[in-house]
Structures are given as C-alpha cells and as structure tokens.
C-alpha cells in the first residue's frame, strides 16, 4: 500500500490527488508491495502514473493476479498473464520482482506445475514465490523440490514471517482480525538469489514489533555484507506507523552496515493555505 487513512496529514500531506500519493509515500520508503494487482490488473495508464511518481531505483514487488495463481493455479493463464505483463511494462527497472503468491492449498504435488509456469515466463523479469503449505517448511524433501524448481528459474522464495505476531494473543481489533486471516508459518531466513525479499508482520505495539525483528537485523546485515540487495517489508496489523517502523528498521541495519545508502527524506507535511 501507499495510502492509509491514519497517515494522512501526519506522515503525508492531506488531501492529495491520486497522482501524488505514491510520490509522497516514496519520500518515506524506497519499495512497496503491489498488492492491489492481485485483485485486478491495472491499466497501463495507471502504471505509467506510478512510474512518473517514483525514481528509477524505487522498487515495486508486484503481485500476480489471483486469476493466475489462485483461480487457475498457474494453468491455462496465457491471456491474463499477457495482459498483466503488458500493463506493468511502464514500470521498467522499478519492477524489482513479480510476486507469485500461491494459495495455502498449493502443496508439494503442485511443484511440477510451478516449474512449468516459471519456464514459460520471460527472462526480462525477476520472480519471487511465496508458499504457505506446511510441508514446504518442515519436510526436507518438499523443501528441496521447491528450491530446485526456484533455482532453475533464478527465482526467490519470499518468507512471510508471522512468528512474532503469533507469540501471544491479540490485544487490538486489527490484531484480532489478522489473527484469523494471517498464516502461521515456521520461520524461514534463507536467500536463494542476490535479491532476497522478506515480509515481516509485527504487532500494533511498536516496541514488540521492534523486539520481533531483531533476528532480521542480523540476517539482512549479513546479506548486505555478502553483496546481496535485500528488500524488507514491515507490516503491523493496523499499519498506522508502518512507514516510521520501516525507516527505523533501515536505520538499525545501517548501524551495522554504515555503507548502506540512507532512505530519502520525507516530503514535509505542511498545512494547506488559501493563498
């Protein structure tokens, strides 16, 4: 996301026209999850607007539409895939990875279908796959089979770390909603490529979010020292302070790896005047 009601007038100016909202978000963070594309493929004109609002080094991790991943489960998807690839073309180098989030029912028996799908994809993009079937986290044969298919396509495995979130019962309404919707996956902290992507879900209590990400400070700093270019997404159930927390995570990593470039300076939030 790059808009949130609680950010308006506090982290970003308000009101903002739609063609300015991403530009203001990009003053806080240099990457975004393109989750809306899961529900519908945007028009090229919309995507071109995203490109105009961001620098060429801004990173979009854009999710494939659910008709491809969930409804057709990677089979008979030539037409919706073509439409999607055409729509996101204006992003150019900003398309850090195309995000293939698979349903929880997509298990080891489906890995050959994933392999066939990945082999058909154009090599002009990088790909990142998120799985949620338990065997991919606790069965060595299933893990090896999936890693083999991903490695053949130079695709990354996206871990969604919810371990800190599920450590204790929810205490807020957004946490209670997330408690029923978010997957409970074992921790995975291994990279397959030079561009790992991690999704982390904390708590609405910022102190607990920071406490839960300490292991990732070590992992991400290690990746940077190895010459990798990781992308880390910080979420909380209410996302009220997500941009602030993302910058804090970046600062914590930069304290370990001083050569890491700083994030951009946010556009000042100034009250609107009539003159």
């Amino acid at each position: 996301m790059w808009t949130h009601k609680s950010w308006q007038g506090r982290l970003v100016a308000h009101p903002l026209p739609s063609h300015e909202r991403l530009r203001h978000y990009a003053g806080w963070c240099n990457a975004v999850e393109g989750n809306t594309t899961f529900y519908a493929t945007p028009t090229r004109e919309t995507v071109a607007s995203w490109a105009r609002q961001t620098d060429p080094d801004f990173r979009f991790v854009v999710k494939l539409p659910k008709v491809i991943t969930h409804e057709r489960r990677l089979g008979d998807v030539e037409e919706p895939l073509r439409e999607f690839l055409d729509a996101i073309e204006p992003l150019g180098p900003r398309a850090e990875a195309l995000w293939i989030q698979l349903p929880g029912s997509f298990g080891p028996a489906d890995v050959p279908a994933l392999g066939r799908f990945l082999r058909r994809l154009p090599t002009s993009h990088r790909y990142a796959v998120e799985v949620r079937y338990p065997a991919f986290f606790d069965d060595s044969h299933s893990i090896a089979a999936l890693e083999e298919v991903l490695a053949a396509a130079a695709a990354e495995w996206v871990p969604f770390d919810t371990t800190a979130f599920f450590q204790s019962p929810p205490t807020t309404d957004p946490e209670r909603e997330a408690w029923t919707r978010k997957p409970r996956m074992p921790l995975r902290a291994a990279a397959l490529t030079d561009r790992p992507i991690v999704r982390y879900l904390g708590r609405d209590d910022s102190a607990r979010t920071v406490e839960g990400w300490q292991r990732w400070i070590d992992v991400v700093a290690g990746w940077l020292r190895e010459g990798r270019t990781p992308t880390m997404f910080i979420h909380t159930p209410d996302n009220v302070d997500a941009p602030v927390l993302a910058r804090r995570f970046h600062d914590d990593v930069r304290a370990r790896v001083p050569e890491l470039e700083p994030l951009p300076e946010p556009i000042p939030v100034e009250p609107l005047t009539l003159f």
Side-chain angles (χ1 to χ4, degrees):
M1 67 168 66
W2 55 78
T3 61
H4 195 286
K5 185 176 182 180
S6 66
W7 302 349
Q8 297 172 9
R10 183 172 67 95
L11 303 183
V12 297
H14 179 71
L16 282 172
S18 60
H19 64 273
E20 287 287 323
R21 294 169 188 167
L22 176 55
R23 184 172 73 88
H24 282 245
Y25 167 89
W28 282 89
C29 300
N30 60 3
V32 72
E33 290 181 350
N35 191 54
T36 58
T37 54
F38 179 71
Y39 301 99
T41 295
T43 66
R44 279 181 63 96
E45 291 74 19
T46 294
V47 177
S49 171
W50 300 348
R52 286 193 297 270
Q53 294 178 66
T54 53
D55 293 333
D57 59 353
F58 186 88
R59 305 176 194 177
F60 287 83
V61 177
V62 191
K63 190 185 292 189
L64 264 64
K66 64 180 179 179
V67 65
I68 296 173
T69 56
H70 287 56
E71 295 173 10
R72 301 189 186 181
R73 298 173 70 88
L74 308 183
D76 188 25
V77 295
E78 286 75 12
E79 184 61 20
L81 180 62
R82 183 195 61 77
E83 292 176 357
F84 176 76
L85 294 174
D86 180 68
I88 65 167
E89 190 273 335
L91 290 180
R94 299 168 184 80
E96 173 70 5
L98 303 191
W99 173 18
I100 305 167
Q101 186 185 74
L102 296 170
S105 60
F106 196 98
D110 300 300
V111 168
L114 174 61
R116 290 190 295 272
F117 177 73
L118 290 173
R119 286 193 295 272
R120 293 199 304 269
L121 294 175
T123 58
S124 53
H125 290 287
R126 287 183 294 270
Y127 302 96
V129 176
E130 181 183 339
V131 291
R132 297 184 172 184
Y133 196 89
F136 290 130
F137 299 87
D138 58 23
D139 177 72
S140 59
H141 295 292
S142 299
I143 295 169
L146 178 58
E147 287 185 340
E148 181 179 359
V149 163
L150 295 177
E156 188 53 84
W157 181 332
V158 182
F160 184 21
D161 181 11
T162 60
T163 56
F165 174 71
F166 284 112
Q167 278 184 346
S168 59
T171 59
T172 67
D173 286 342
E175 286 186 354
R176 281 184 277 274
E177 180 181 0
W179 195 266
T180 64
R181 296 175 55 243
K182 301 300 183 183
R184 301 190 185 209
M185 294 289 96
L187 179 69
R188 177 184 167 84
L192 299 181
T193 72
D194 64 344
R195 292 178 178 266
I197 299 168
V198 176
R199 308 179 64 228
Y200 168 79
L201 177 65
R203 299 293 293 253
D204 288 338
D205 180 343
S206 293
R208 296 187 63 188
T209 297
V210 172
E211 178 184 4
W213 77 35
Q214 292 307 307
R215 71 187 79 186
W216 287 110
I217 298 293
D218 296 331
V219 171
V220 172
W223 284 340
L224 289 166
R225 295 189 189 104
E226 293 169 357
R228 302 180 197 262
T229 308
T231 302
M232 184 85 180
F233 293 112
I234 305 295
H235 293 276
T236 65
D238 63 14
N239 278 320
V240 168
D241 291 318
V244 178
L245 288 165
R247 293 179 72 87
R248 179 169 175 178
F249 182 88
H250 186 276
D251 288 342
D252 287 353
V253 173
R254 196 161 178 247
R256 304 277 189 91
V257 188
E259 59 270 28
L260 178 63
E261 290 291 325
L263 288 172
E265 286 301 314
I267 299 172
V269 179
E270 298 177 355
L272 296 178
T273 62
L274 294 177
F275 306 100

